Structure formats: C-alpha cells, structure tokens
Amino acid sequence: MQGQLDTDLSDLGRSQAKSAAQALADKRPFAIVSSDLRRAHDTALALGDHVGLPVETDTRLRETHLGDWQGLTHTDVDEISPGARALWRTDAEWGPPQGESRTDVAARSLPVVQELLARHENWGSDPLVLVAHGGLIAALTARLLDLPVDRWPVLGGLGNTSWVQLSGHGEGTEPVWRLDVWNASANVAGDIL
C-alpha cells in the first residue's frame, strides 16, 4: 500500500504509461497537471513528451496518505486491524490511523480543479489532463459529481494508467459535471482492486 511513498514505475508501468500516452494523445490535450510523486509524474511526462506539452506539478494531486498503513501489504493491515480495510473501502469518511479519508482527499484536490477552471476560463472542447492516483481520482470524481458521500464507494478501483473522463457543463468554477468514461485503458487491465 504505497499511499504517498514516492516510488518509481516498474518496466511494466513504463510500458503502460507509453500505451496510455499514445491513446490520450489522440484526444489533443492542451495542458497536463500531475501529482509530484514519481510514478504519476513519469506517467504524465510520457504523455507530455508524446504531445509536446510541459507537465505542471501540484502536490495536492498526491495519493491518499495512508498513515500507519503506508508501506504495509494488504495482508499486514488485515493482520493488524481485521476488517479495517473493508471499512475504509465502504466509508468515505473513515481513514486509516494517522491517514486521510476519501473526503479529506477530495477536499485537498478540489481546489486544483477550481483554480484550473478559473485560469482557463475560455476552455474549449480539448481536454486538460490531470495525472494522479486511483484513490484521489475516485474521491475527486465522486466530489465533482456531487454524489452523496455514502455512495462514493460505487466508484471502484482503477487499473494502472487507466483514466476517467469528465465533462463540465455550465459557467465558472462550479460547472455541473458528467461522467463520460470510467476506468478506460489503452490495454486490458488486470490490476483493478
């Protein structure tokens, strides 16, 4: 359970990032903003290199801080706290000891989207790509869609280098968001949690 540990991509991860970059390049992104953690940032750089765009980083796009669980395996956590991972997966307001809940993660990352909307007020149909982590993406998506917090767990895990596509409708920094794509992948993903 990596959380905010800063790890490198594996050879498989680099290959997946390259495949995702090729698929996302066809969507003609106009900007890329990434978590500063290497595994996300290197994925963003693969896309940036492919389309000739710089990658902006923002620490607010980091993965969920897993507190006392960070660096442990699922088995370790289950041995230390039986049933806690199941609670964490089903309750968006509960976080690991000394860690963040999904609602904490959404509160941390939502301003990134609001600031980008304000900065790019004439945003057209070309996408702005955020490169982050599965837990953050699920929490931020649930918040943007204004799902009731008790329904946030309906957005399941994401495969590595899979993506979510949202479209905003309306004006300003609080558009109505629509979920267009969930867990899309350039390759068939076998790593969904």
Side-chain angles (χ1 to χ4, degrees), residues 3-101:
Q4 290 189 5
L5 296 177
D6 197 11
T7 57
D8 288 315
L9 290 173
S10 66
D11 288 341
L12 174 60
R14 283 188 288 281
S15 174
Q16 290 172 325
K18 184 177 178 181
S19 294
Q22 291 168 343
L24 290 172
D26 292 341
K27 297 184 179 296
R28 300 182 343 262
F30 74 90
I32 304 167
V33 182
S34 174
S35 161
D36 65 327
L37 297 177
R38 286 189 310 261
R39 61 191 187 269
H41 192 253
D42 289 348
T43 301
L45 289 173
L47 175 60
D49 290 347
H50 198 76
V51 297
L53 288 173
V55 173
E56 178 183 339
T57 58
D58 195 311
T59 59
R60 296 172 294 178
L61 294 176
R62 285 183 173 187
E63 180 60 292
T64 306
H65 194 288
L66 296 175
D68 294 347
W69 294 0
Q70 210 153 263
L72 300 178
T73 67
H74 293 152
T75 305
D76 293 337
V77 172
D78 292 344
E79 287 175 7
I80 295 166
S81 300
R85 277 193 320 115
L87 175 62
W88 176 56
R89 294 222 179 271
T90 58
D91 184 349
E93 296 180 298
W94 191 89
Q98 306 301 312
E100 293 177 298
S101 68

